[in-house]
Structure formats: C-alpha cells, structure tokens
Amino acid sequence: MYMRIKFFKLFQISFFLGFLIFSSSVSLAQRFEIIPTVMLSTPGSGTYTVPTSTTLGPDEYVDEIEVKIVIVGGGGGGGRGEGAGGGGGGQVVAFTINASPGDSYAYTVGAGGAGGSATNEAGSNGTPTIFDTQIANPGLGGGGGNAGAGGNSGAATPGSAGASAGGNRRAGGGGSGASDNGTDGTVSASGQPTAIGGNGGPGLFGYGGGGGGAATSSRFQIQGSAVDGGTNGSAGTATNATNGGGGGGGGIGGGNGGDGLVLISETLVILPVEYAYLNASFDEKSRTAHITWATYKEWENAHFDIQRAIDNATTFESIGRVEGVGYSDVSTYYSFTDENLPLFGAMAYYRLMQVDFSGFIAYSKTVGMRIPQVGISKGVWRAYPNPILCEQLRISLLDKSRYDGENIAFRIVHPMLTTQTITVNSENEINEQLAILIPRIPKGLMVVVIQWGQNVEYIKVLKK
C-alpha cells in the first residue's frame, strides 16, 4: 500500500475538552468532514479500516482523507520496596497518513508492565504499540528494593537514581517520561531522617508520564509524584497507571504500567469543484492533445493549472492555465489543447490543479493518453541556399504526395540556442518566420526540425 507519512511539530497538537485536536490550514473553498476520534486501548492486535463519508452529497466525492494518529507504548510497572523506583512511560509517536476509504492498517496495542509484587522485585517492562509500520516503544520497569532506579521511557530517556541511608531512609528514583527525565530520589545525610521519592518525568499530550518513586523514613517522607498517566509512589501499594504511563513504586506492591493507546482522528477533504468528467484525447492530424473537462458546480474557483507528466504519473509540470468561472451551481465546460507533444512515442498523463481565490489548491484525478512516435522522413522538404548566403534561408516542399495540408511545426536547433516551436499553415508562412529568425542565429551548423502530422524531417544547414 502506498502512503505518505509526515511527522509534525509539537505545537501542531493540542487538547480541547479532553479530545485530541490537530491544527491544519482550512480553505474556505473546501468542505471538511471530521470523523470523531477513535481510541483503541485494549491490548492486542487488530485491523483498522478507514471509513468513508457519512454526509456525501450525490454530486460530491472525497478528494483526500487525512488520518492523524498518535500511538503510545505500554508503560513500565513500578518496583516493590521501601525505596522502589517508578516505571518508565511509553513512547508517544504522532504522524499522519493520506488514505482512501476502505484502506486497512494492522495495529497492536501494547500492554503495561506488571508492578513488582514479590519482596524487592522490579517492575516488568511494557510492550510496544504498533500501527502499520510505526512503532511506539514501551517503558521499562522501575527498580525494586531500597534505592531502586526509575525505569527508562520508551523514548529512551533514562530513569533517575534512587538513594538510601541509615535511619530507615529509602527513596526510589522517578521513572522517565515520554518527553523528559524524572528526578532522583533523595535522603537526608544528617539531622532529621528524611526521604523524598523522585518524581516521574512528564509525558506528551497527556500520555506516557513516568511513575513516582516510593519513599520510607522513620520520621518524614514524601512520595514521588507523577503526571500524564503515571502514578505516584506509595508506602503501600501504588495505584495502577493509565495512558501508557509508568506505575509508581510501592512499599508493598508496585503499580502496573498503563496500557498503550492508538488514537485516530480523520479529516475528509471534499472538493468544492465537482468534476463531471476529465478526458484526454490525441488528434493525429494536428499531433495535439485535447484536454476536456466539466464541473457540476464551483465555489471560489479562481483557475485551473493544466499539468502534464511524460511516461510516469509522478513528476508533473504546468503547461497551461484556464480561468474558472468562480461561482456556479450549473455545469461548466472547459478545454485546453496541448500543442507541444514529444516526437518520440510516450504515455502522457494529465491532471488539473484547481486554485481558489484564497490560494488553496486541490488536484483532480489523473488521466493518461498514448502519444505515437513520429515517422522520420527524408527528402520531403528542401532548405536553400545551403550554405546560407546574405542571412536568407527558404524552405520548399519537394514531395507533395507526402504532405496533406497538416499544420507545420518547426524549430531551429543550434549548439548555442534552440528556438521555440512555431506552428504555421503553409510553406510561405515558414519562410516569413525564417526571414525573422535567421539573422538572429549565430554562424555555424544548425538543424531545422520540421514536423507535420505523424512525420518529422531534420535538415542540416550551414551558416557561414
């Protein structure tokens, strides 16, 4: 399946009323349909199928579906122990896919790691979350015991160190979050026995926060705190994490890491210019391509750029422009003639780039047309005098049986320049144009290329 993946900057994503909102440029000339965000949160594998529009009118079609995805790896479990470390948060990965209705993608939602349950046991690692080819790595489990380190995050940010000292002072390190490290657990070196668990590192967009470290002291202790799905450390059993966060370290049980997530938000782009048809046909006599199309209706349509690609439908260039009517609720018909076709046989592909008054663009479908190769002729035309004398050159038709009144296109190829192709209707018109061109051509050998119908002749001429 061909797809284009684009990673985007953090400021393009924000939360609004608990839903994930992705910013994008909106064209008034296009209609957008936003599919409600889908959240896949149960660990395991499955297939996601892109839905089609539920509001499409009889004359409308979906031009593009932009699927915006956030995947979160499973969080690591917190360790068990008086100074157990918090689990690391799962990695958070955001990307977009340009899709079509009915496209299917395989996914796996990662599971959070179990918190440590046996004496001084470390928490377990989470498992990765996968959507198509994109992977969000899991957070690692926090260390158990009296000075357990926090677990690394799935984004590979390291967990923080724990600490211990006499007087029953124990403090676990905070687990690393998806966007930053946690803090170290600390204990007092002297004076009143104090233990402070390390805080979990922050996640991204509310997901993948690290778990807090557990703290124990005979006098004064503060449990490590956590955000973005991670849970706080605890002298007892730490709370289980959510949203791919790391579980907190716990004196008698670490919290489980939060399960991973897949969040899918879709925007359907519906074109304002609704095409009735787009066709391309080859005219053998004039050796031109005729592009015709019609629209059912238009809204803020400024113009069409006609684009062409030769032999592949990927590298397009603009070859002309046709003005749009702007606003219309009735069918409008357009045409364009491509007069500059290659002489060799090839496939030509055409598409329309529709531009609205605000500068936003949308593309039509692509249509193809076979261009036959011209036959190379000899002796149909004659150039004289040759060599050129007095800045004058004329062309005459020698074999009238091989010319049937077609349009004549010619150009001059010189090592220092090539003229534009000029289309005329007769031998006299060729000579009128040559009278203008020849004085501008440098001395030396040149080639006059004459094309008519499906034929071409190359005539070498010397200018002294």
Side-chain angles (χ1 to χ4, degrees):
M1 179 181 299
Y2 173 74
M3 64 180 183
R4 294 169 289 168
I5 297 178
K6 173 179 63 180
F7 289 85
F8 43 89
K9 299 178 182 178
L10 303 185
F11 63 75
Q12 290 179 293
I13 307 174
S14 62
F15 277 98
F16 179 71
L17 298 179
F19 291 91
L20 191 62
I21 304 296
F22 294 77
S23 67
S24 63
S25 297
V26 178
S27 166
L28 294 177
Q30 294 175 326
R31 184 168 73 82
F32 295 84
E33 180 181 342
I34 299 176
I35 305 297
T37 299
V38 174
M39 177 184 290
L40 306 173
S41 57
T42 302
S45 298
T47 300
Y48 179 78
T49 301
V50 177
T52 189
S53 170
T54 58
T55 66
L56 208 60
D59 294 332
E60 294 181 325
Y61 69 95
V62 176
D63 178 59
E64 180 182 284
I65 300 180
E66 191 174 51
V67 184
K68 304 189 179 193
I69 302 162
V70 173
I71 57 176
V72 185
R80 174 181 171 176
E82 293 182 347
Q91 184 181 18
V92 179
V93 178
F95 56 96
T96 68
I97 297 174
N98 289 334
S100 299
D103 286 350
S104 295
Y105 300 94
Y107 70 86
T108 299
V109 177
S117 57
T119 301
N120 296 335
E121 181 183 30
S124 299
N125 300 336
T127 60
T129 294
I130 303 170
F131 189 93
D132 197 62
T133 61
Q134 302 300 308
I135 300 174
N137 295 315
L140 305 186
N146 295 330
N152 294 352
S153 75
T157 50
S160 301
S164 67
N168 197 31
R169 290 169 284 185
R170 318 281 189 241
S176 182
S179 67
D180 205 354
N181 302 333
T183 61
D184 294 339
T186 59
V187 296
S188 60
S190 61
Q192 177 175 281
T194 301
I196 302 175
N199 297 330
L204 277 174
F205 325 131
Y207 305 99
T216 302
S217 170
S218 59
R219 284 289 188 89
F220 181 76
Q221 68 270 337
I222 299 176
Q223 306 300 324
S225 63
V227 294
D228 297 335
T231 54
N232 300 339
S234 172
T237 300
T239 303
N240 294 334
T242 61
N243 293 345
I252 60 175
N256 295 338
D259 292 333
L261 296 169
V262 176
L263 296 102
I264 305 170
S265 176
E266 299 176 17
T267 300
L268 282 65
V269 182
I270 300 172
L271 282 181
V273 175
E274 299 158 10
Y275 295 98
Y277 62 84
L278 170 62
N279 297 320
S281 60
F282 178 73
D283 186 289
E284 183 174 348
K285 185 173 182 179
S286 63
R287 193 174 175 79
T288 57
H290 296 296
I291 318 304
T292 57
W293 69 98
T295 61
Y296 288 119
K297 55 185 177 180
E298 301 180 17
W299 177 259
E300 295 192 356
N301 177 30
H303 66 269
F304 301 92
D305 278 354
I306 295 83
Q307 298 188 333
R308 185 185 73 184
I310 299 297
D311 279 340
N312 67 77
T314 57
T315 306
F316 283 87
E317 62 176 355
S318 293
I319 60 171
R321 171 170 166 162
V322 174
E323 299 301 317
V325 299
Y327 301 86
S328 176
D329 286 326
V330 297
S331 295
T332 306
Y333 301 90
Y334 298 92
S335 66
F336 176 82
T337 300
D338 182 5
E339 298 179 345
N340 190 25
L341 299 181
L343 300 178
F344 53 85
M347 277 295 297
Y349 297 93
Y350 295 92
R351 71 181 183 186
L352 304 175
M353 183 176 76
Q354 182 264 324
V355 183
D356 72 18
F357 292 136
S358 301
F360 290 92
I361 63 174
Y363 293 95
S364 72
K365 69 176 184 179
T366 299
V367 294
M369 181 196 73
R370 169 64 64 181
I371 303 172
Q373 181 171 338
V374 299
I376 299 177
S377 300
K378 189 174 182 180
V380 180
W381 303 89
R382 179 172 73 98
Y384 67 94
N386 192 1
I388 295 174
L389 302 174
C390 301
E391 302 288 350
Q392 293 184 356
L393 178 69
R394 296 184 65 81
I395 298 291
S396 65
L397 179 62
L398 290 181
D399 189 348
K400 296 182 179 180
S401 67
R402 297 169 67 183
Y403 175 68
D404 193 27
E406 301 96 335
N407 289 340
I408 304 166
F410 77 96
R411 60 192 172 102
I412 297 174
V413 180
H414 185 278
M416 297 179 63
L417 60 86
T418 298
T419 67
Q420 291 184 338
T421 298
I422 299 174
T423 301
V424 297
N425 296 313
S426 68
E427 177 182 321
N428 288 338
E429 291 183 12
I430 295 178
N431 292 322
E432 289 173 0
Q433 294 295 325
L434 286 175
I436 299 172
L437 293 173
I438 292 302
R440 304 175 184 174
I441 304 296
K443 293 181 179 180
L445 185 65
M446 69 186 77
V447 176
V448 180
V449 182
I450 303 175
Q451 178 191 337
W452 70 103
Q454 300 302 304
N455 303 283
V456 65
E457 184 167 349
Y458 303 89
I459 306 174
K460 294 182 180 179
V461 178
L462 178 63
K463 180 178 181 181
K464 290 187 175 181

